[in-house]
Each structure stands twice: as structure tokens, then as C-alpha cells.
């Protein structure tokens, strides 16, 4: 059986879950308390991070490497188009979200509010939370600017860039940290992704101690 | 004229410089004081980071997206092999160095010792330097473990993973922070990469205030 070792609100795990679901690859989801760094887990991934995918007997780690591998071995639907210019733009945007957005927003809001409690690291640092809440506005503006020129984030077709962005935003939406009223074009884009069948797995996530707000799983939010 | 906006010791810029040189794409190197975040620079890359490559009139950013684009549009020599399993391993290792190694080692040694002085951010934090010096040993052991089983880092052919790793190690070698005597197999691998013509541009780098040690440019170090 294929397995994904994950944590529910990790945007990196969510990017892989969306990719697996789009490609109709069935996996058993196994929650991994990666912060305990158990020897078994470190054997699966010496980098000590989730997601880790067990697929056809192989162990794969690093979300971007996993998603590109899945796209090359299971090409329908194609999440990285064939054209090199488009592929560049998809990768640039994936890194934008997984690096810049992650450092400036996800780690400042989600990790402060949720991960610190789960891993018993202490209380949220209000300076970080404030900074994340300020920076997300800038990123939503950037999304709106892209979507004013394009149907999807990287161009005229849906790509891995849309899932990378939606993975981060969905985790933040679980803790009500996204202002969907800031840009109608961003809300419309997210509503389209959110209603895809692949998104259902994310919408049913429940993290003990953190009940999601009602709008989280609502397709008409 | 093609141009690369860079800083000499950035491992991300070095990975791109090596890729450009391997593929014999000529570029003019322009040093960019990215930390001043000039409006001109932010227009070139809203993420505010180097490297930025101006190629045939287009502006490209994010080192991994740039290198994959160059490999797709200039396939000789091929730095990502055709086999999906190998491509996965190349990408996993690039992320290993650009994320894990960068966070645990490069940022703790190079950024503390050099970048903080260049950007006038203050003095090195000795706790960070100590932590980086301890962690690099673990990473050199991991390299040795890989090279005990493989000719190159990702397998039997030279790939982008070798350049990603060599980019970080060469920047650290500029400040004498790599113990080449720890593993003969790592030293031999690095000596092979270091003697490639593409490496020459890195070996002639000079950072004002930080003269390189004599062994840095010596192919028989």
C-alpha cells in the first residue's frame, strides 16, 4: 500500500496530497509526529521532514521533488506544461510560495499559532504574528496582480503553482488568517480550486484543539 | 548582452554560474547589492533576491528554476538525466543543499562571518558559528556516505546536484570552513569538480576585506 507520512496543516504535505489526488493515486495517510525525530522516521527521511511518500516500495521526500516525479511518471493531468517558459514560471512560483511566502507568512502565522502548541515549544510570538499578518496582504496583492493578467497563476492552464499557492492559503484559512475580501479575483480563483474533488481530503482535516471555522470547508465561503 | 546579477559568494548564484559555464552561455557578471533593495533591482525581481539572469531579453529568478530552464533550453551537457528516478534524486539533493545545508551551515558560517560585515548588520553571533561548524561535519559524512555508493552525488553521472553541493562548499572554502581531510572520497570528488573549466570563474572571485586562503584556488589543495 502506498503511504504518505504527513501532518494535516503542512502546506508541503498538502501540495503533495493535491497532486496525488489530481492524479488519482491512492495513498494511506499516516500522521507523523516529525518533531519527535523518531529513529524510524529518520530512517525514512534523514532530512527529518514531512512529507515522506512510500510509493511502489520507494521512499520519496521533499515536496517539490516528489510532485515533479509524480508529474513525470503519472502525466495525467499534466501539472507542469511542456513549454520550457511555462515550466520555468511554474517552478518560480512554487519556490515563491514554498520559500518566500513560507518564510514571511506561513511560518509567522501557522507555525506560531498552531505548530508551537502541538510541538509544545511555547506561546506564539506576537511580533511574528503581527509581521505575518502584515506580509500576507502584500502576497495577496501579488496574487491579484498575476490573476489580473492570467487565468491561472502561471498562465492559461492550471499547474502545480496553483496547488503550491492553494496549499499555503488553505492551511492559513483553517485558522482564519486569509482575508478573502481583499481581492475578488483571488477569491474566485481559490473558490475554483477549492471545489475540485482533489481538495476534499484537505477540507475534512481536523486538528485536535483547533476546530476549523465554519467557512473553511464551505465551497460558497 | 546576457547578464547575471549576483554576489560572488552566494551559493545560489554560483550554482547558476556553474550551469551557465558548463553550457557555454556567455554572460556579463554584475554585482548586485541586493540588501539595499533598490527600486531598479526590485523591478527585476520582486522577491528581492539574487541571482537574477537577463537572458535573450527575459528576466529569470530563483536559482533552481533558472538551472532547470537552462537545462531544458540548452541540453548539452545534460545536468538532469532523462530517467525520472534520477531526476527525482537530483532534485532531492539540490533541495537538500539549498534548504537544509543552507539553513544549518551556509547561513550559520558564511552569512555570519561575511554577509553581516558586507551588509553592515553587525558582528558574527558565535552561537551560530559554533552550530554551523558542528553541523557541517554531519553533512560531510552524508556526502561521504553517498560517494561510497556512487561515482557522483546522484548516481553514475555528474548532475546539477554536484554543482549545488559544490556551490555551497566552494563558498565556505573561501573562508576556510571546510575540513577536506575528514573524508578522502569527498576531497577527491571536490577536486574533480574544482578542476573543470566551468569552475575557473569561481576561483578568481575576490571579496574586498576577505582575501581567500591560498588553497582556495589551488587545484592540488
Amino acid at each position: 500500500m502506498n503511504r504518505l507520512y504527513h501532518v494535516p496543516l503542512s502546506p508541503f504535505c498538502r501540495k503533495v496530497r493535491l497532486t496525488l489526488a489530481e492524479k488519482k493515486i491512492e495513498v494511506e495517510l499516516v500522521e507523523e509526529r516529525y518533531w519527535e525525530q523518531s529513529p524510524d522516521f529518520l530512517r525514512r527521511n534523514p532530512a527529518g521532514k514531512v512529507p515522506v511518500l512510500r510509493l511502489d516500495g520507494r521512499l520519496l521526500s521533499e515536496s517539490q521533488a516528489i510532485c515533479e516525479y509524480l508529474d513525470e511518471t503519472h502525466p495525467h493531468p499534466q501539472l507542469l506544461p511542456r513549454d520550457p517558459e511555462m515550466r520555468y514560471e511554474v517552478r518560480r512560483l512554487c519556490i515563491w510560495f514554498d520559500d518566500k511566502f513560507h518564510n514571511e507568512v506561513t511560518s509567522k502565522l501557522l507555525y506560531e499559532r498552531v505548530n508551537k502548541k502541538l510541538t509544545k515549544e511555547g506561546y506564539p510570538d506576537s511580533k511574528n504574528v503581527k509581521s505575518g499578518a502584515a506580509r500576507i496582504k502584500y502576497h495577496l496583492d501579488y496574487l491579484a496582480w498575476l490573476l489580473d493578467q492570467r487565468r491561472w497563476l502561471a498562465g492559461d492552464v492550471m499547474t502545480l503553482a496553483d496547488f503550491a499557492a492553494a496549499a499555503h492559503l488553505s492551511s492559513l484559512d483553517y485558522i482564519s488568517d486569509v482575508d478573502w475580501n481583499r481581492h475578488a479575483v483571488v477569491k474566485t480563483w481559490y473558490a475554483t480550486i477549492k471545489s475540485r474533488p482533489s481538495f476534499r481530503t484537505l477540507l475534512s482535516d481536523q486538528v485536535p484543539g483547533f476546530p476549523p471555522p465554519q467557512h473553511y470547508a464551505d465551497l460558497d465561503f
Side-chain angles (χ1 to χ4, degrees), chain A:
Chain A
M1 179 67 185
N2 297 327
R3 266 190 184 173
L4 184 73
Y5 299 90
H6 82 127
V7 296
L9 296 186
S10 153
F12 303 102
C13 298
R14 287 182 161 219
K15 183 174 66 170
V16 173
R17 287 163 74 192
L18 289 168
T19 301
L20 288 164
E22 285 289 332
K23 293 174 180 297
K24 302 198 171 33
I25 303 169
E26 284 193 27
V27 293
E28 179 191 1
L29 291 176
V30 180
E31 282 196 42
E32 178 66 56
R33 299 167 70 85
Y34 65 90
W35 57 91
E36 293 176 355
Q37 303 271 300
S38 78
D40 263 4
F41 181 60
L42 289 174
R43 254 195 300 279
R44 285 194 287 271
N45 179 14
K49 296 191 294 188
V50 285
V52 173
L53 177 64
R54 182 188 290 281
L55 186 73
D56 306 328
R58 293 191 69 207
L59 284 168
L60 307 170
S61 56
E62 291 303 342
S63 70
Q64 189 67 17
I66 294 173
C67 290
E68 296 228 17
Y69 176 76
L70 293 174
D71 205 49
E72 291 176 359
T73 52
H74 301 72
H76 304 288
Q78 192 153 48
L79 299 182
L80 279 106
R82 281 178 176 275
D83 172 51
E85 319 277 324
M86 267 289 275
R87 295 167 74 79
Y88 158 76
E89 185 65 354
V90 172
R91 291 187 178 118
R92 181 186 75 81
L93 287 168
C94 287
I95 304 172
W96 179 286
F97 285 96
D98 287 347
D99 184 56
K100 189 175 174 70
F101 187 93
H102 173 260
N103 292 339
E104 296 179 0
V105 181
T106 311
S107 68
K108 299 287 197 293
L109 294 174
L110 185 74
Y111 295 1
E112 289 292 339
R113 290 198 212 272
V114 179
N115 294 32
K116 269 194 171 172
K117 191 170 169 195
L118 293 179
T119 61
K120 302 196 169 72
E121 271 178 283
Y123 294 97
D125 178 330
S126 64
K127 217 179 71 194
N128 282 341
V129 172
K130 220 168 152 178
S131 153
R135 289 303 285 171
I136 194 174
K137 293 180 189 166
Y138 159 84
H139 285 278
L140 290 172
D141 294 351
Y142 184 57
L143 276 179
W145 180 79
L146 290 172
L147 291 167
D148 277 339
Q149 309 163 62
R150 304 165 172 182
R151 220 176 122 207
W152 297 90
L153 289 187
D156 284 337
V157 292
M158 186 192 71
T159 68
L160 189 59
D162 297 286
F163 293 120
H168 282 271
L169 290 168
S170 66
S171 296
L172 292 165
D173 193 35
Y174 188 97
I175 51 171
S176 298
D177 267 338
V178 185
D179 174 9
W180 295 116
N181 293 323
R182 192 169 173 90
H183 295 286
V185 71
V186 175
K187 186 174 178 175
T188 305
W189 162 83
Y190 187 68
T192 312
I193 301 227
K194 191 173 175 179
S195 49
R196 292 184 73 79
S198 63
F199 226 81
R200 272 182 219 145
T201 161
L202 309 189
L203 299 181
S204 62
D205 278 341
Q206 292 280 348
V207 182
F210 295 91
Q214 221 197 324
H215 77 266
Y216 172 72
D218 187 353
L219 295 184
D220 192 21
F221 55 107

